[in-house]
Amino acid sequence: MTDNTTHFGYQQVPTADKVKLVRGVFDSVAGRYDLMNDLMSLGVHRLWKRIAISLSLVRSGEHVLDLAGGTGDLTALFEQRVGDSGKVVLADINAEMLKKGRNRMIDKGLAGNVHYAQVNAECLPFADNSFDCVCIGFGLRNVTDKAAALRSMHRVLKPGGRLIVLEFSKPTDQLTEAVYDFYSFNILPKIGKLVANDEASYRYLAESIRMHPDQSTLKQMMQEAGFERCDYFNMTQGIVAVHRGYKI
């Protein structure tokens, strides 16, 4: 990889093109995103998200930024925690995903303390020390410059604030890795073709997971961005991990 290229799944593409390519993937899958999440994970993604919320330590009255918030699963859970005196910003770089999330929150009656922003995680348009918690769920692997994004998240957190990164990661044993690889590259794209009429986007999603930093590498990246007391929690034999770091 050079300074002028980056990975899009297993492909090398011009760095300037990645945002557009990722946008195309999520424009394509937005309409069936929630259904596909349930099918792909057999519903386990809901448990992963609840565990991430618990690890966030978010309390009543706090301000939360839900980055790559998509259709709002995490936002709805955060909203229950912060209550009427708190605030949750549902943010996504993709307008179509953000629209789906906004409509879902309105349908749930969560209009009062949920706000919306179309943002790029690498250069967040919020003031320093704005949030008690920043969460990015299943989105960091799609960011072009992850180090810049982590620095931006650190900047907008208040002292004492927490970063939560919920993301696919590296299985902790060879058997799980072998089964997961077979499923990801042989079954998942076929489900995408059948349900969402889009095999290529789900093949990209499988590839993007493999290109994402493993648990220890991501922990080190968080530390380099200024986070302290960093740790991670494996779930489902490391297929998914929650990383947590603090701004001191």
Side-chain angles (χ1 to χ4, degrees), residues 71-228:
T71 55
D73 281 356
L74 287 164
T75 290
L77 294 171
F78 277 126
E79 192 276 340
Q80 295 173 13
R81 287 206 164 212
V82 303
D84 293 339
S85 60
K87 179 176 77 171
V88 184
V89 177
L90 171 54
D92 203 292
I93 195 172
N94 183 276
E96 193 62 29
M97 292 292 288
L98 193 61
K99 179 181 177 182
K100 295 287 183 183
R102 181 176 181 273
N103 289 342
R104 276 190 72 197
M105 296 305 99
I106 291 173
D107 289 345
K108 288 175 178 285
L110 304 180
N113 61 345
V114 177
H115 304 259
Y116 307 92
Q118 186 175 358
V119 304
N120 185 334
E122 297 174 23
C123 47
L124 295 171
F126 304 108
D128 296 359
N129 309 318
S130 294
F131 296 97
D132 299 286
C133 178
V134 173
C135 176
I136 181 164
F138 301 113
L140 186 60
R141 72 181 187 278
N142 296 310
V143 174
T144 304
D145 189 340
K146 296 175 180 60
L150 291 169
R151 292 193 298 270
S152 189
M153 296 175 209
H154 185 271
R155 179 186 62 79
V156 302
L157 275 171
K158 299 176 182 178
R162 291 84 62 200
L163 170 66
I164 296 292
V165 180
L166 171 64
E167 189 56 89
F168 292 105
S169 201
K170 184 173 177 58
T172 54
D173 65 90
Q174 292 183 342
L175 177 59
T176 299
E177 186 170 21
V179 173
Y180 183 47
D181 282 350
F182 179 83
Y183 170 77
S184 297
F185 293 105
N186 294 278
I187 307 299
L188 176 57
K190 290 181 172 59
I191 297 175
K193 182 177 181 180
L194 180 66
V195 176
N197 195 30
D198 189 346
E199 182 174 353
S201 290
Y202 286 94
R203 187 170 297 280
Y204 158 73
L205 292 176
E207 293 175 355
S208 71
I209 291 167
R210 300 322 187 275
M211 299 300 291
H212 186 66
D214 65 15
Q215 289 92 324
S216 59
T217 303
L218 180 54
K219 178 181 176 180
Q220 181 178 348
M221 292 174 66
M222 290 170 59
Q223 292 169 334
E224 291 171 352
F227 290 97
E228 300 187 28

Side-chain angles (χ1 to χ4, degrees), residues 37 40-55 74 77 138 166-168 180 234-237 239-242:
N37 277 348
M40 288 188 299
S41 70
L42 302 179
V44 179
H45 75 98
R46 300 181 184 278
L47 176 61
W48 294 334
K49 290 171 181 174
R50 289 189 176 277
I51 291 173
I53 294 288
S54 178
L55 290 169
L74 287 164
L77 294 171
F138 301 113
L166 171 64
E167 189 56 89
F168 292 105
Y180 183 47
N234 285 320
M235 299 183 287
T236 317
Q237 285 71 52
I239 288 174
V240 168
V242 177

